[in-house]
Amino acid sequence: MKTVENGYAVSLHYKGTFPDGEVFDDSRLRDMPMNVVVGQGRLLKGFEDALIGMTEGQTRSISLTAQEAYGEPNPEAIAKVPRSAFPEDYEFEIGTIVRGSSAEGTRPVIAKILAFSDEEVTLDHNHPLAGKDINFEIEVLQVKSPASESTEETPEETTTEE
């Protein structure tokens, strides 16, 4: 049985919950395991650290403070943009998550609508989980060492948008 190490491709299921037990994400409900190469820094550090040493079939539960997860909300990540930045027929609703691109068009933007008027829209660009303590239950499904990747099909790498 292979043990997860840095550089290994891992297929896993996870369930993310808040301390009160409310589920915010569950790869099993989507029937989509996450595939990632450990050590590339594409996961939360605490999540990635928890994977090291796990074996196929093993389950582990971890708890991350807000600081260990997505940090505290940054007041500078709240911005006002002209209402004209949205399509003319857009139906505004407070709390809606919107996707777009930066003013330069060089990077994708995800934000939550906090307020709107006839002239402008207030958007929160903080991660939706910023300021929240979170838990994960992780189950390792498959581990592939770097040497086996050259002879076997490697899982496509995916990451969560938590």
Side-chain angles (χ1 to χ4, degrees):
M1 192 172 293
K2 292 182 183 151
T3 302
V4 177
E5 297 180 33
N6 278 325
Y8 282 37
V10 178
S11 178
L12 60 94
H13 271 300
Y14 66 91
K15 178 166 61 173
T17 61
F18 297 115
D20 67 2
E22 178 188 351
V23 176
F24 63 82
D25 196 8
D26 188 336
S27 65
R28 283 193 186 285
L29 292 179
R30 292 188 314 279
D31 195 26
M32 283 182 53
M34 178 169 45
N35 300 298
V36 66
V37 176
V38 177
Q40 293 185 331
R42 295 180 181 227
L43 298 172
L44 294 171
K45 182 173 179 351
F47 192 105
E48 195 163 66
D49 289 348
L51 287 172
I52 302 295
M54 289 183 72
T55 57
E56 290 176 347
Q58 184 177 0
T59 301
R60 179 173 288 166
S61 295
I62 62 168
S63 296
L64 302 175
T65 65
Q67 287 295 44
E68 295 168 317
Y70 293 96
E72 294 299 328
N74 178 355
E76 293 179 20
I78 296 176
K80 294 183 181 203
V81 299
R83 190 173 175 132
S84 61
F86 289 81
E88 193 173 310
D89 61 345
Y90 186 83
E91 302 235 359
F92 292 91
E93 186 175 331
I94 293 174
T96 300
I97 303 296
V98 295
R99 297 174 188 270
S101 58
S102 62
E104 307 80 34
T106 57
R107 62 182 173 80
V109 173
I110 299 173
K112 179 169 63 172
I113 297 175
L114 296 181
F116 58 92
S117 69
D118 289 341
E119 295 84 35
E120 62 187 12
V121 180
T122 304
L123 299 174
D124 182 353
H125 293 89
N126 283 292
H127 190 283
L129 296 175
K132 300 185 187 291
D133 296 339
I134 56 177
N135 307 310
F136 287 103
E137 183 178 294
I138 306 165
E139 180 187 4
V140 173
L141 304 173
Q142 185 178 31
V143 178
K144 291 186 181 181
S145 64
S148 68
E149 290 180 27
S150 59
T151 57
E152 299 177 27
E153 187 177 312
T154 304
E156 181 182 327
E157 186 173 314
T158 60
T159 57
T160 62
E161 284 188 29
E162 299 163 53

